[in-house]
Amino acid sequence: MKALEGLKVLDLTSALNGPFCTTMLADHGADVIKFEPPAGEQCRTWGPLDEKSGESGFYAFLNRNKKGCTLNLKNEKAREMFYELVKDADAVVENYRPGVTKKLGVDYETLKKINPKIIYASGSGFGQYGPISHRPCYDIVAQSMGGMVNLTGYKDAPPVKVGPSVADHVAGIYLCVGFLLALYHREKTGEGQHVDVSMMDTIFTLLENSIVKTTMQGIIPERQGNIDPSISPFDIYPTSDGYVALGVGNDKLFRTFCDVIERPELVDDPLYLTNDLRCQNYENGLQQLITEWTKQHTKAELEEIFDEAGIPCGPVLNMKEAIEHPQIQAREMMVHMDHPTIGEMYFQGCPVKLSKTPPSIDTPAPLLGQHNQEVFHLDDETYAQLKDEGVL
Amino acid sequence: MKALEGLKVLDLTSALNGPFCTTMLADHGADVIKFEPPAGEQCRTWGPLDEKSGESGFYAFLNRNKKGCTLNLKNEKAREMFYELVKDADAVVENYRPGVTKKLGVDYETLKKINPKIIYASGSGFGQYGPISHRPCYDIVAQSMGGMVNLTGYKDAPPVKVGPSVADHVAGIYLCVGFLLALYHREKTGEGQHVDVSMMDTIFTLLENSIVKTTMQGIIPERQGNIDPSISPFDIYPTSDGYVALGVGNDKLFRTFCDVIERPELVDDPLYLTNDLRCQNYENGLQQLITEWTKQHTKAELEEIFDEAGIPCGPVLNMKEAIEHPQIQAREMMVHMDHPTIGEMYFQGCPVKLSKTPPSIDTPAPLLGQHNQEVFHLDDETYAQLKDEGVL
């Protein structure tokens, strides 16, 4: 049994933040039915594309465990068919630009009249209200305006965005939190509601002490590369074959650290006596000294040495190394899936491990319109007719 | 009414990922009681510190809405007092290094004997099982080993970590998802369970198409600065007073874009005819040409121009600018709180907006041991005695 078994979710999402939310719901057992325009949603054209079939690997990993229908919501008959499904659905999830669902007649105000218990979850760039809620948004814009880009990168160098789409993904996870909160409330009261999550808000919530530093001390934090302003040594160091991350959190561990790097005299050096002093004097001396030592070792050597010493340390892994890492493997963070046109796939698994109701990945992403007849209960003739009419 | 009202959560977390989870539970109405060692948890010493009181601003924003107790779990009497509270609690949340709760006698196996309905949520660096689950971890290590650091930064330059602690925060959000999934399952079945979330898994789930690119095409993606490999133009550009992020997602928008930058001839340039061609020829020509134009404008000018054109664009905001942004303000992403020793504070709000059960921030973070007498029902004399005995 999975946690969300028996729940029916109508999925109007496309691209990334919305689908990432409904993927979690599907992995945990909800019956997620995804609706795309008859031409397919944008992310069906996003790479990597399968050479043989042209199918999108991006779409395929992101939409596993879901059923797929096509539906032209600009068509009145299509809208009526959707309303029919809303009657006994538990939730609708969407990530249109605010305002669009109203034009399409599938906004919360409309759907709650059909089913007052419906939970309606909306993901967007800037949220459902506020002066710029109408604007289009990409992950890179949300990262920039939310304040994260200015805090990432090296001092005295241009800012850099987080490589992967962190605004989209984390907004999707928050949307899942919102759905589950609303679900619990509905269990207690029978009442549905509207959940609203924005990518800009999402990024803003990840900035931790930078915010209080600004408001309490009037200091505007700037990017610091890989250094932590309040722990030292704490950095990413070059080795003979790549990079390792390393953090020495307190005086006791610093003593161990000095032994490990065979520089026991540093412990009593007045420049490095306390963590505060090490932070102050890190960039003029300590950093260089550690770097010279780490460069003489491999990543694997350093990982082993510091594991034994009980000092947090780990290599900077590339994508292949991360995929093959024994910990990722042991935790089934990569799963195999047979896709009807792509064939054998190997992609990311589920991070939320539940002892009694474990998630799992059971079915591949749907082909375009694959479940139209099943979901709408259509015989072959009616199906062909609706396709002709541009409804599906 | 808030979504989680009436739930009692015993909070054994410290530092960042665990507390970020319980903050969300508290913001949404759960009665969260935080237990710290008698000396206080580590993050009470993390800056920024209030000049007058020495109180940690970091602790204060992260532990709002919670009650605070001290409890020396190495003491048998303390443990018995904790067990007493477990009897009618709904959940325990912890983020000790795996193995430690067992030593302290507060692991899931022990507590579920006292209360089989208990939901037990564990956050950690590497998870509760797997070959390196025992290791200590910092956010920077999880970011590195999870694969994100290698994908962040400029090509041909060293890798860079995401500035803020994204592994800690997002693991905390996943832990909240796990708790809520387990809560819904318990509503249906009366059954408690163990939730296990790791920071390394968390980072790994955010890497999207880099994973499928590796497994489908055998290509190991490398960092690309602010460029997107599959959309062009898509970058962060220098302006006369800072940087803006900008993404032009399709041919139609590229035509608009060329008009806006007053280079209509680019539309028919054979180098830039399609998105694919623009991606191929971006770095030898197009990037430079756009940069020369953006440098002649201010951030605000560009934001306005592209808002009108319907092209996703936004400035790279520093912390002060993000805090003061009208959208952040309109969405109450900054809230005021009166703290008993720090005084007036101004810190981050709640990102998950619920129409019927909105979250709110009602009480400041607890002083050390502030709710000992209330939570354990102690008269002054017994309280003083338990403090003397080192129990609290």
Side-chain angles (χ1 to χ4, degrees):
Chain A
M1 189 182 178
K2 297 203 214 177
L4 300 181
E5 237 159 68
L7 289 177
K8 182 170 150 190
V9 176
L10 307 181
D11 181 356
L12 295 175
T13 68
S14 67
L16 195 39
N17 69 63
F20 197 65
C21 168
T22 54
T23 296
M24 269 181 284
L25 304 183
D27 288 354
H28 288 280
D31 185 18
V32 174
I33 308 165
K34 182 175 173 105
F35 299 89
E36 302 174 53
E41 68 127 311
Q42 49 179 316
C43 126
R44 284 193 180 269
T45 64
W46 292 2
L49 301 180
D50 179 49
E51 255 181 46
K52 202 163 38 44
S53 64
E55 209 82 51
S56 161
F58 193 105
Y59 182 94
F61 90 80
L62 188 58
N63 293 289
R64 78 275 186 102
N65 276 343
K66 301 174 191 174
K67 287 179 183 152
C69 295
T70 52
L71 201 56
N72 173 12
L73 285 172
K74 290 174 183 158
N75 177 297
E76 193 156 339
K77 198 181 270 181
R79 209 152 44 221
E80 290 301 328
M81 286 164 68
F82 186 73
Y83 291 161
E84 201 53 39
L85 295 175
V86 167
K87 285 181 182 163
D88 73 341
D90 294 282
V92 171
V93 186
E94 63 89 15
N95 65 337
Y96 285 102
R97 201 192 306 182
V100 174
T101 54
K102 193 164 179 191
K103 279 187 205 153
L104 295 172
V106 293
D107 56 313
Y108 177 55
E109 295 307 314
T110 303
L111 300 190
K112 80 174 182 187
K113 283 177 200 143
I114 298 168
N115 177 356
K117 291 182 72 175
I118 202 88
I119 295 165
Y120 191 97
S122 297
S124 60
F126 300 106
Q128 299 300 308
Y129 59 90
I132 60 167
S133 70
H134 64 281
R135 281 199 202 163
C137 187
Y138 280 128
D139 179 89
I140 195 174
V141 174
Q143 281 194 33
S144 296
M145 296 185 72
M148 184 165 271
V149 168
N150 194 53
L151 292 169
T152 299
Y154 292 97
K155 205 160 50 179
D156 309 321
V160 63
K161 82 176 193 89
V162 178
S165 301
V166 67
D168 265 300
H169 282 86
V170 184
I173 309 172
Y174 271 140
L175 200 56
C176 185
V177 168
F179 165 80
L180 292 168
L181 286 165
L183 183 65
Y184 182 71
H185 177 71
R186 198 186 67 171
E187 283 299 302
K188 294 289 181 193
T189 64
E191 194 174 55
Q193 61 179 313
H194 190 180
V195 182
D196 166 18
V197 168
S198 103
M199 298 206 292
M200 183 180 176
D201 291 354
T202 292
I203 288 296
F204 190 78
T205 64
L206 306 177
L207 306 187
E208 44 162 317
N209 60 347
S210 293
I211 294 176
V212 271
K213 200 172 268 177
T214 306
T215 60
M216 280 176 73
Q217 304 185 319
I219 296 167
I220 302 175
E222 291 298 334
R223 48 192 170 278
Q224 309 227 24
N226 299 314
I227 298 174
D228 188 291
S230 55
I231 305 176
S232 176
F234 183 105
D235 208 343
I236 292 177
Y237 297 97
T239 71
S240 63
D241 63 347
Y243 294 87
V244 293
L246 181 65
V248 183
N250 57 46
D251 295 345
K252 191 172 155 236
L253 285 176
F254 186 64
R255 277 194 294 277
T256 310
F257 179 75
C258 293
D259 282 344
V260 166
I261 67 169
E262 295 176 333
R263 295 292 295 267
E265 78 282 7
L266 294 178
V267 174
D268 299 315
D269 190 320
L271 287 174
Y272 308 133
L273 273 182
T274 65
N275 182 59
D276 247 19
L277 283 166
R278 289 192 293 275
C279 286
Q280 282 169 43
N281 298 309
Y282 178 69
E283 285 179 279
N284 38 34
L286 193 53
Q287 184 178 38
Q288 184 60 26
L289 186 155
I290 298 171
T291 301
E292 275 159 25
W293 182 81
T294 55
K295 275 183 169 173
Q296 296 165 30
H297 299 268
T298 66
K299 286 183 290 183
E301 280 166 13
L302 292 177
E303 192 178 4
E304 199 187 324
I305 290 170
F306 288 111
D307 182 18
E308 265 177 47
I311 289 172
C313 172
V316 173
L317 298 181
N318 73 24
M319 204 58 265
K320 183 162 183 287
E321 292 166 331
I323 288 170
E324 292 171 355
H325 194 282
Q327 189 71 9
I328 291 293
Q329 291 291 323
R331 292 179 64 79
E332 299 176 88
M333 291 307 296
M334 286 295 294
V335 295
H336 292 276
M337 172 54 63
D338 195 39
H339 185 280
T341 57
I342 300 177
E344 167 72 7
M345 292 194 74
Y346 188 44
F347 54 59
Q348 46 269 60
C350 314
V352 178
K353 310 292 187 193
L354 292 163
S355 62
K356 290 269 173 58
T357 57
S360 61
I361 297 173
D362 308 312
T363 58
L367 300 176
L368 187 61
Q370 185 182 335
H371 301 92
N372 277 341
Q373 285 189 260
E374 176 189 332
V375 167
F376 293 114
H377 307 293
L378 303 174
D379 57 40
D380 293 353
E381 197 182 338
T382 322
Y383 181 45
Q385 195 186 326
L386 288 171
K387 280 203 81 93
D388 277 354
E389 290 173 21
V391 174
L392 299 177
Chain B
M1 189 182 181
K2 295 203 214 175
L4 301 181
E5 236 159 69
L7 289 177
K8 183 171 151 188
V9 176
L10 307 181
D11 180 356
L12 295 175
T13 68
S14 67
L16 196 38
N17 69 64
F20 197 66
C21 168
T22 55
T23 297
M24 267 180 286
L25 305 183
D27 288 354
H28 287 280
D31 186 18
V32 174
I33 309 166
K34 183 176 172 103
F35 299 89
E36 301 173 53
E41 67 126 312
Q42 47 178 319
C43 127
R44 284 193 180 270
T45 65
W46 292 2
L49 301 178
D50 179 48
E51 256 182 45
K52 205 163 36 48
S53 64
E55 209 82 52
S56 161
F58 193 105
Y59 182 95
F61 90 79
L62 188 58
N63 293 288
R64 80 277 186 100
N65 276 343
K66 301 174 191 174
K67 287 180 183 152
C69 295
T70 52
L71 201 56
N72 174 11
L73 285 173
K74 290 175 183 160
N75 176 297
E76 193 158 337
K77 199 182 273 182
R79 212 152 42 219
E80 289 301 329
M81 287 164 66
F82 186 73
Y83 292 161
E84 201 53 40
L85 294 175
V86 167
K87 286 181 185 165
D88 72 341
D90 295 282
V92 171
V93 186
E94 63 89 14
N95 65 336
Y96 285 102
R97 204 194 303 184
V100 173
T101 54
K102 193 166 182 190
K103 280 188 202 152
L104 293 172
V106 293
D107 56 314
Y108 177 54
E109 295 305 315
T110 303
L111 299 190
K112 81 173 182 189
K113 283 177 201 143
I114 299 168
N115 178 355
K117 291 183 70 174
I118 202 86
I119 294 164
Y120 191 97
S122 297
S124 60
F126 301 106
Q128 300 299 307
Y129 60 90
I132 61 167
S133 71
H134 65 279
R135 281 198 201 165
C137 187
Y138 280 128
D139 179 89
I140 195 175
V141 174
Q143 281 194 34
S144 296
M145 296 184 71
M148 184 167 271
V149 169
N150 194 54
L151 292 169
T152 300
Y154 292 97
K155 202 160 52 178
D156 308 322
V160 62
K161 82 176 191 87
V162 179
S165 302
V166 67
D168 265 300
H169 281 87
V170 184
I173 309 172
Y174 272 140
L175 200 56
C176 186
V177 168
F179 165 80
L180 292 168
L181 286 166
L183 184 65
Y184 182 69
H185 177 72
R186 198 185 67 171
E187 283 298 303
K188 295 288 179 195
T189 64
E191 194 175 53
Q193 61 180 316
H194 190 179
V195 182
D196 166 18
V197 168
S198 104
M199 297 206 293
M200 184 181 176
D201 291 354
T202 293
I203 288 296
F204 190 79
T205 65
L206 305 178
L207 305 186
E208 43 160 319
N209 60 347
S210 293
I211 294 176
V212 270
K213 200 172 268 177
T214 306
T215 59
M216 281 176 70
Q217 305 186 320
I219 296 168
I220 303 176
E222 291 298 334
R223 48 192 169 279
Q224 310 227 21
N226 300 315
I227 297 173
D228 188 290
S230 54
I231 305 177
S232 178
F234 182 105
D235 207 341
I236 293 177
Y237 298 95
T239 71
S240 63
D241 63 347
Y243 294 88
V244 295
L246 180 65
V248 183
N250 56 47
D251 294 344
K252 190 171 157 235
L253 285 176
F254 185 65
R255 277 196 293 277
T256 310
F257 178 76
C258 293
D259 282 342
V260 166
I261 67 169
E262 295 176 333
R263 296 291 297 266
E265 78 281 7
L266 295 177
V267 174
D268 299 314
D269 191 321
L271 287 173
Y272 309 132
L273 273 182
T274 65
N275 181 58
D276 247 19
L277 283 166
R278 290 191 293 275
C279 286
Q280 282 170 42
N281 298 309
Y282 178 68
E283 284 179 279
N284 39 33
L286 194 53
Q287 185 178 37
Q288 185 61 24
L289 185 155
I290 298 172
T291 301
E292 274 160 25
W293 182 80
T294 56
K295 276 184 168 170
Q296 298 166 28
H297 298 269
T298 65
K299 285 184 290 184
E301 279 166 11
L302 293 178
E303 192 179 4
E304 200 188 322
I305 290 170
F306 288 111
D307 181 18
E308 264 177 47
I311 290 172
C313 171
V316 173
L317 298 181
N318 73 24
M319 204 57 265
K320 184 163 181 288
E321 292 167 330
I323 288 170
E324 292 171 354
H325 194 282
Q327 189 71 9
I328 292 293
Q329 291 291 322
R331 293 180 63 79
E332 299 177 85
M333 291 308 297
M334 285 295 292
V335 297
H336 292 277
M337 173 52 64
D338 196 37
H339 185 280
T341 57
I342 300 176
E344 167 72 7
M345 293 193 73
Y346 189 44
F347 54 58
Q348 45 268 62
C350 314
V352 179
K353 310 294 187 192
L354 293 163
S355 62
K356 290 269 172 57
T357 57
S360 60
I361 297 172
D362 308 312
T363 58
L367 300 176
L368 187 61
Q370 184 181 336
H371 301 91
N372 277 342
Q373 286 189 260
E374 177 188 330
V375 167
F376 294 115
H377 307 292
L378 303 173
D379 58 40
D380 293 352
E381 199 183 337
T382 322
Y383 180 45
Q385 195 186 322
L386 288 171
K387 280 204 81 95
D388 277 355
E389 290 173 21
V391 175
L392 298 177

